[in-house]
């Protein structure tokens, strides 16, 4: 049975329909964000970096990051998007941020050493974010993401 190692909830400022995660040590990322960023599919995976297209243009989304010892079950809930991918983090930490707003000041801590991680990402509230964006700048958007990380074996 999978064991939860850590769980962190943080708000992330989404802008220009995007947000990203990449290794905290961007010298380990061949193409650091925002180079090559384009809104598109829900997920665009690159070495050391994951780019996400949000349902809304500019808003604060909820982000839950879970680190597990092995693959966990998918979080309960109704999810509009669900993807499975991987990311290598040389630093054991990730930077998260928006397209123009840049990174949050503190990293997301995964481990104390380099790992390649399997990642499941689920998202809800995309349709509501898109609808609110159509009407103007969204307020009180309920777009939320859950990132589940576990070591790749």
């Amino acid at each position: 049975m999978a064991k939860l190692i850590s769980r962190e909830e943080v708000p992330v400022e989404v802008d220009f329909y995007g947000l990203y995660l990449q290794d905290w040590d961007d010298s380990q990322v061949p193409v650091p964000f925002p180079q090559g960023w384009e809104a598109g599919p829900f997920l665009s995976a690159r070495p050391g970096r994951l780019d996400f297209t949000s349902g809304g243009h500019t808003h604060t989304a909820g982000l839950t990051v879970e680190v597990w010892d092995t693959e966990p079950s998918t979080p309960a809930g109704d999810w509009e998007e669900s993807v499975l991918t991987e990311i290598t983090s040389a630093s054991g930490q990730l930077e998260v941020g928006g397209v123009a707003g840049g990174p949050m000041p503190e990293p997301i801590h995964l481990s104390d050493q380099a790992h390649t991680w399997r990642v499941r990402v689920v998202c809800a509230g995309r349709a509501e974010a898109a609808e609110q964006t159509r009407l103007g700048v969204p307020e009180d958007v309920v777009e939320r993401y859950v990132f589940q990380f576990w070591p790749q074996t």
Side-chain angles (χ1 to χ4, degrees), residues 34 58 63 76 79-80 102 116 120 141 152:
T58 304
L63 181 69
W79 304 106
E80 295 170 54
T116 297
R120 177 183 295 115
V141 173
Q152 181 168 312

Side-chain angles (χ1 to χ4, degrees), residues 21 43 50 52 66 83-88 94 110 116-122 146-150 152:
L21 279 87
L43 167 66
L50 302 174
F52 295 89
E66 299 176 343
V83 296
L84 197 58
T85 189
E86 67 181 47
I87 188 170
T88 299
L94 296 176
L110 300 177
T116 297
W117 299 89
R118 295 292 292 156
V119 188
R120 177 183 295 115
V121 183
V122 295
V146 177
F147 289 80
Q148 295 179 308
F149 292 85
W150 64 95
Q152 181 168 312

Side-chain angles (χ1 to χ4, degrees), residues 22-23 28-29 47-49 86-90 94 114-117:
Q22 73 179 15
D23 193 66
Q28 300 299 313
V29 181
R49 170 178 147 191
E86 67 181 47
I87 188 170
T88 299
S89 174
L94 296 176
H115 277 296
T116 297
W117 299 89

